[in-house]
Amino acid sequence: MAIVKPFKGVRPPKNLVEQVASRPYDVLNSEEARAEAKGNEKSLYHIIRPEIDFPVGKDEHDEDVYLKAAENFKMFQEKGWLIQDAKENYYVYAQTMNGKTQYGLVVGAYVEDYMKGVIKKHELTRRDKEEDRMKHVRVNDANIEPVFFAYPENKELDAIVKKYTARPAEYDFVAEFDGFGHHVWVIDEEADIKRITELFAAMPALYIADGHHRSAAAALVGAEKAKNNPNHRGDEEYNYFMAVCFPADQLTIIDYNRVVKDLNGLSDEEFLLKLSQHFDVECKGTEEYRPNKLHNFSLYLGGKWYSLTAKEGTFNDNDPIGVLDVTISSNLILDEILGIKDLRSDKRIDFVGGIRGLGELKKRVDSGEMRVALALYPVSMKQLMDIADSGNIMPPKTTWFEPKLRSGLIIHKLS
């Protein structure tokens, strides 16, 4: 069963929400955050990217940068830019992109569920990234940014959400820098709060869609606080961390593509010949080609697009990991032909979220920065959940979710 609870959200007044809310800390660098926050003292970047309050070049991992985050978080509350709700609520957070809206429930997720695998992951995390987020959670004593969960679709939860979204929204705006619609409603009726808790308790699992490092950091800090509290009871706020949970049937994973600096000493012709051992290779000319089904890939090389279709026998449809196109391409192209063994550490490869389009792949190859680009057919939510259920881990850089959750709409304090 998945344990969730309502909480007293810390959030901006209606008239300030667009100034406070920001993109997540990990989708932009310090320079971009500095540019987006320019002239806006209320931007959440002062809390999630506090290095922008120091001279250019400041290391974001310096101790005084974390302390600045806490100082700014306190100041935001003192100035009334962030105010805590008087009672515990759930919240509906909806996002609109390209005319499609997805509706999530903002909840306190249970730390113990993460530790025991009721909250299921599909990616490995890196300790250095976990530690960075743990420091941020510790110093602020809060989950400043939410994590992104999926849950098996549930008609009764849909009906509760619909009841609230029929009312005027608490927040309703299109963000300047991402162009997506962001909408929030407060679920404050006790009967609905109780029923949401019960409906989640009947679910066997929740699934991390995006935010594996934030999930790990939030859960580890919660567990750390429990261990260090001699009077720990189990009902303290630090036993929960903030998550936005979306029904799986509303979510779409988009492609996560690869660009590589060189052909491992091969000419274009030699590379294409080696590809033909495992793939049916078809030149598509200069017109953009997008993969149209599983096991079909798009390659951009030497100013031309190619369709690659994996041959029978090169993959195992009964293996939840082996069937993935990221596995096929990693094994048969990146490793076997290009000599890239570790996607996490090899400096010859980079990754491009599908939201940037195939044009970004072409641009990076045409500029000479990269030699070849590979576009993949996106993973499905069913594949993600099957892999998480089987206890397996996806290869690195497999899923890209869009739109990203806006940060600063709701914050969860740990005490």
Side-chain angles (χ1 to χ4, degrees):
M1 57 184 279
I3 297 172
V4 301
K5 75 178 285 291
F7 63 94
K8 297 176 182 177
V10 176
R11 52 197 187 85
K14 263 187 202 186
N15 64 319
L16 298 184
V17 66
E18 291 186 63
Q19 288 172 268
V20 172
S22 75
R23 294 196 285 162
Y25 85 99
D26 56 350
V27 302
L28 75 175
N29 60 31
S30 300
E31 186 185 340
E32 291 166 328
R34 199 180 291 271
E36 286 192 21
K38 190 174 182 182
N40 179 9
E41 61 180 350
K42 300 180 182 70
S43 170
L44 196 78
Y45 291 129
H46 295 288
I47 300 172
I48 61 171
R49 279 286 185 181
E51 70 273 15
I52 69 173
D53 290 344
F54 293 85
V56 173
K58 178 69 170 174
D59 187 339
E60 64 193 81
H61 300 111
D62 283 353
E63 202 58 40
D64 53 349
V65 174
Y66 293 105
L67 293 173
K68 186 66 176 173
E71 181 188 315
N72 287 343
F73 182 37
K74 184 168 180 265
M75 181 259 289
F76 272 46
Q77 293 170 83
E78 288 169 349
K79 287 184 177 283
W81 302 344
L82 290 171
I83 301 168
Q84 187 164 29
D85 285 339
K87 68 179 285 292
E88 293 188 339
N89 306 305
Y90 287 120
Y91 305 85
V92 178
Y93 171 28
Q95 304 169 291
T96 303
M97 180 178 85
N98 299 333
K100 178 191 171 215
T101 303
Q102 57 193 32
Y103 297 88
L105 284 161
V106 186
V107 307
Y110 192 38
V111 165
E112 197 64 21
D113 280 354
Y114 180 88
M115 298 304 192
K116 290 182 174 174
V118 175
I119 294 170
K120 298 191 175 188
K121 43 191 178 279
H122 65 267
E123 273 183 19
L124 293 172
T125 52
R126 280 173 40 186
R127 186 63 200 176
D128 60 333
K129 287 194 168 187
E130 279 179 20
E131 188 54 43
D132 164 56
R133 286 303 92 187
M134 286 174 75
K135 285 179 181 174
H136 199 267
V137 175
R138 281 190 202 109
V139 76
N140 288 294
D141 199 30
N143 309 128
I144 303 292
E145 298 184 272
V147 295
F148 184 164
F149 286 179
Y151 65 86
E153 49 267 29
N154 183 293
K155 297 303 175 197
E156 196 174 343
L157 278 176
D158 289 349
I160 295 171
V161 167
K162 196 170 181 181
K163 169 182 167 181
Y164 285 86
T165 57
R167 304 171 181 178
E170 180 76 4
Y171 305 141
D172 190 2
F173 65 97
V174 173
E176 180 186 354
F177 287 100
D178 65 19
F180 304 141
H182 301 276
H183 332 277
V184 172
W185 294 261
V186 180
I187 298 179
D188 55 2
E189 294 177 28
E190 289 307 318
D192 293 325
I193 289 172
K194 181 171 181 286
R195 189 61 185 142
I196 289 169
T197 307
E198 290 169 351
L199 289 167
F200 272 95
M203 292 179 192
L206 298 174
Y207 300 84
I208 301 174
D210 206 2
H212 280 76
H213 288 96
R214 264 168 284 169
S215 298
L220 289 167
V221 170
E224 187 179 85
K225 282 176 166 284
K227 185 181 174 186
N228 294 336
N229 180 3
N231 303 310
H232 174 73
R233 302 180 311 272
D235 62 350
E236 297 89 350
E237 204 60 36
Y238 61 67
N239 292 289
Y240 298 85
F241 61 99
M242 180 171 57
V244 187
C245 304
F246 289 88
D249 62 346
Q250 290 186 18
L251 299 177
T252 304
I253 304 172
I254 61 176
D255 43 316
Y256 209 165
N257 302 316
R258 285 90 170 98
V259 285
V260 181
K261 287 183 184 293
D262 62 70
L263 296 183
N264 201 22
L266 301 171
S267 67
D268 291 6
E269 293 73 20
E270 289 167 334
F271 178 57
L272 290 168
L273 188 61
K274 282 188 177 285
L275 283 173
S276 67
Q277 293 172 24
H278 298 303
F279 300 88
D280 293 321
V281 180
E282 184 186 347
C283 181
K284 295 290 187 179
T286 56
E287 195 171 326
E288 239 176 45
Y289 176 74
R290 181 176 295 281
N292 55 28
K293 61 184 177 182
L294 275 176
H295 312 329
N296 178 243
F297 303 82
S298 166
L299 184 85
Y300 185 69
L301 174 71
K304 292 178 184 172
W305 292 91
Y306 296 84
S307 164
L308 311 181
T309 304
K311 293 179 179 178
E312 287 294 326
T314 59
F315 53 87
N316 179 3
D317 274 332
N318 297 314
D319 174 356
I321 300 295
V323 72
L324 295 175
D325 285 348
V326 283
T327 305
I328 296 168
S329 59
S330 294
N331 291 346
L332 302 182
I333 303 175
L334 300 176
D335 181 349
E336 187 175 314
I337 302 177
L338 296 177
I340 295 170
K341 307 289 183 187
D342 186 350
L343 298 188
R344 292 176 185 277
S345 62
D346 199 305
K347 303 295 186 199
R348 295 166 55 219
I349 189 167
D350 197 10
F351 304 88
V352 181
I355 191 71
R356 293 180 176 268
L358 295 182
E360 178 71 10
L361 303 182
K362 181 178 186 298
K363 179 177 142 194
R364 292 188 67 175
V365 173
D366 288 350
S367 71
E369 178 204 357
M370 295 291 175
R371 182 75 182 279
V372 64
L374 187 68
L376 280 61
Y377 191 73
V379 172
S380 69
M381 276 304 300
K382 182 180 185 309
Q383 283 179 310
L384 182 151
M385 292 164 80
D386 285 349
I387 285 166
D389 285 340
S390 70
N392 280 299
I393 296 295
M394 284 185 171
K397 310 292 187 182
T398 299
T399 57
W400 183 282
F401 284 89
E402 203 73 47
K404 300 293 182 191
L405 301 179
R406 200 89 181 147
S407 296
L409 300 177
I410 304 163
I411 289 168
H412 172 243
K413 281 188 173 182
L414 301 188
S415 58

